[in-house]
Amino acid sequence: KMSKSLGNYIGINESPDEMFGKIMSISDELMLRYYEILTEVDLSVIKAMHPKMAKMDLAGLIINMFHPSEAAQKAKENFEHTFSQHQVPENIPEHFINSAEKILDILQATKMIASKNEGRRLIQEGAVSHEGKAIEDEHWLPVKGVLKIGKRRFLRLL
């Protein structure tokens, strides 16, 4: 099954970058099942490949079903740039800092989190960082730079 509750849901209306990231995060076993159900590719060929390369190919196939063909290549480049080379993606949302805003206000206003409780939990787990340094306090006052929320969400503060 593919579902939100199982954590393996890939929406057809999601951006190519989001789809690519989600496909790359599924297990190797689940990847084989996706190939079997969603494509006509010979599984013996896939089993002979390195899992990372097989997932990248699967991501390209799935993205091409719902987006222009160049979108899959761009998503692959963005993924490698962000996760293999540990750099900030090129096109990330931006937010102009208001002096009265706190970090949780910004994260909720930009829809990076669903609720302030989720934001608190992410901060406590060390999953929110500013310019590579973990934010440890929910009362942290924002400054210009790049926030990373979890593994795949970024926000540029201006």
Side-chain angles (χ1 to χ4, degrees), residues 63-154:
I63 291 168
N64 282 332
M65 292 177 190
F66 305 102
H67 297 282
S69 59
E70 62 273 359
Q73 182 60 35
K74 184 70 174 161
K76 178 181 178 183
E77 291 169 5
N78 287 342
F79 182 86
E80 289 176 338
H81 180 79
T82 304
F83 297 101
S84 297
Q85 301 170 12
H86 304 287
Q87 296 181 9
V88 176
E90 293 173 14
N91 298 324
I92 61 173
E94 296 178 342
H95 179 80
F96 288 93
I97 301 170
N98 173 339
S99 61
E101 288 179 309
K102 294 202 168 45
I103 185 67
L104 292 176
D105 299 325
I106 291 172
L107 294 176
Q108 192 168 34
T110 57
K111 299 187 184 339
M112 293 288 158
I113 56 172
S115 67
K116 288 187 178 180
N117 282 335
E118 178 190 4
R120 286 183 189 95
R121 180 184 55 77
L122 289 170
I123 289 171
Q124 289 171 354
E125 292 173 355
V128 180
S129 62
H130 179 268
E131 295 293 330
K133 185 174 187 284
I135 296 172
E136 299 172 348
D137 181 13
E138 70 179 78
H139 301 290
W140 179 79
L141 294 176
V143 293
K144 291 181 181 182
V146 176
L147 287 176
K148 183 176 180 185
I149 304 96
K151 293 181 179 180
R152 295 190 304 255
R153 292 175 284 178
F154 293 86

Side-chain angles (χ1 to χ4, degrees), residues 31-33 35-36 39-48:
M31 170 199 56
L32 292 174
R33 186 82 173 124
Y35 264 109
E36 182 180 5
T39 74
E40 305 223 353
V41 177
D42 182 7
L43 285 181
S44 63
V45 172
I46 301 306
K47 289 177 181 177

